[in-house]
Amino acid sequence: MFAELTGEDIHYDKIEAPVDGFEQAVNAFFADELAVGCNVTVPFKEKAFVLSEANCNPEAKTAKAVNTLHREGNALFGYTTDGMGLVADLLNATELKGKRILLIGAGGAARGVVQPLLGSEPELLMITNRTLAKAESIVTDIKHDAFCAVSIEEAKKQLPDVIINCTSASLTGDLPMVSDGLFSQCKLAYDMVYSAKATSFMNYAKEQGARSAKDGFGMLVEQAAAAFTIWTGKTPETAGVIQKLRP
Ligand code: ATR
């Protein structure tokens, strides 16, 4: 759809690599001189990082995972585009500059989005997690004046404007740790997970006074658009694609 929208003539297909043969599959793909780049999904994102470690974006270095490979000349560049996709989809709904943002969760998904979120110039980016030490370890890895690890009660005192659920709790229908009052000033509650109906996190946030709640479907489309831009230099219009594909 992006290619159609931007008038690019591309071929985009699936390749199933054997679990023990990722590097060979990548080499075979790039042996074709027309090959520009590829997306990489589980369980190969860490292997793709190792292949492109010398030339990858900061969030890929932090997450030690790459979802987009791009060949330029003889070099292989690696990116994780999830954070760019998240920021793009948040900006579809709200402002981030000068705002207070709270990330809930400190797994791989959270690690990959911190730097792009900081790039959007929030006043404060807080991270909290059921296991707080994991949030503290991300803050130690990505030192930044506007970035800190907090307990959920400390986060509540800061009255966050945007609250993002990066935990995997929604996948099992669970709520991450939240606290009554946390959403009182929240303009946007965002769940990185998406499904056909609102997640428990989105429902709870709305009940608690969040002005709007959004799931991660837009992020999925935006992270793909970011990869497309890396390969082609063109920025596709995503709103129509999100609308058309939404489950
Ligand atoms: P991912 O790559 O999707 O981030 P992960 O690295 O396994 O997956 O991280 C899962 C995250 O969801 C962690 O922050 C985890 O909290 P812990 O670090 O305390 O384990 C969080 N998580 C998963 N289920 C949760 C639940 N039911 N309540 C709160 N947090 C949960």
Side-chain angles (χ1 to χ4, degrees):
M1 289 173 84
F2 297 149
E4 272 169 32
L5 284 169
T6 57
E8 284 282 303
D9 183 16
I10 68 160
H11 183 73
Y12 184 80
D13 214 338
K14 289 182 284 187
I15 299 171
E16 186 176 16
V19 172
D20 57 355
F22 176 70
E23 190 169 351
Q24 291 89 323
V26 169
N27 288 339
F29 171 70
F30 281 112
D32 183 339
E33 61 179 29
L34 290 176
V36 171
C38 58
N39 289 124
V40 179
T41 190
V42 283
F44 297 126
K45 292 183 183 185
E46 289 75 18
K47 290 201 165 79
F49 168 71
V50 172
L51 288 185
S52 59
E53 197 172 350
N55 300 304
C56 66
N57 66 347
E59 50 269 43
K61 277 205 176 80
T62 305
K64 295 191 170 24
V66 150
N67 73 352
T68 301
L69 289 171
H70 182 213
R71 176 167 66 188
E72 277 185 275
N74 290 325
L76 194 60
F77 287 76
Y79 301 82
T80 175
T81 61
D82 290 335
M84 299 177 213
L86 172 67
V87 168
D89 198 41
L90 291 171
L91 289 173
N92 288 334
T94 193
E95 277 179 48
L96 299 176
K97 191 171 178 174
K99 302 294 176 197
R100 288 179 301 280
I101 305 175
L102 172 65
L103 281 180
I104 305 176
R111 258 183 192 272
V113 301
V114 169
Q115 282 132 323
L117 282 170
L118 287 168
S120 70
E121 299 178 32
E123 178 195 323
L124 184 63
L125 177 63
M126 296 171 280
I127 182 166
T128 190
N129 192 41
R130 184 172 61 181
T131 316
L132 192 57
K134 277 162 79 178
E136 285 164 348
S137 137
I138 298 182
V139 173
T140 306
D141 289 351
I142 308 172
K143 288 180 194 61
H144 190 288
D145 288 348
F147 183 41
C148 60
V150 292
S151 69
I152 202 82
E153 292 306 318
E154 285 167 310
K156 190 157 83 174
K157 288 185 203 145
Q158 295 294 333
L159 301 170
D161 301 293
V162 177
I163 302 178
I164 305 164
N165 181 17
C166 315
T167 72
S168 45
S170 295
L171 294 175
T172 46
D174 295 325
L175 264 184
M177 335 107 31
V178 281
S179 169
D180 286 359
L182 179 66
F183 292 86
S184 64
Q185 295 300 311
C186 178
K187 278 114 198 141
L188 176 64
Y190 193 96
D191 199 334
M192 280 202 201
V193 164
Y194 69 91
S195 69
K197 54 185 178 57
T199 65
S200 343
F201 175 78
M202 291 164 68
N203 288 333
Y204 176 84
K206 288 296 280 280
E207 280 160 29
Q208 287 282 316
R211 271 188 239 152
S212 63
K214 211 169 177 229
D215 72 8
F217 186 72
M219 173 179 171
L220 175 74
V221 175
E222 294 287 0
Q223 62 80 30
F228 184 83
T229 303
I230 288 164
W231 299 324
T232 64
K234 293 191 175 169
T235 308
E237 185 60 54
T238 49
V241 177
I242 294 172
Q243 211 177 7
K244 208 159 171 181
L245 295 182
R246 173 162 269 293

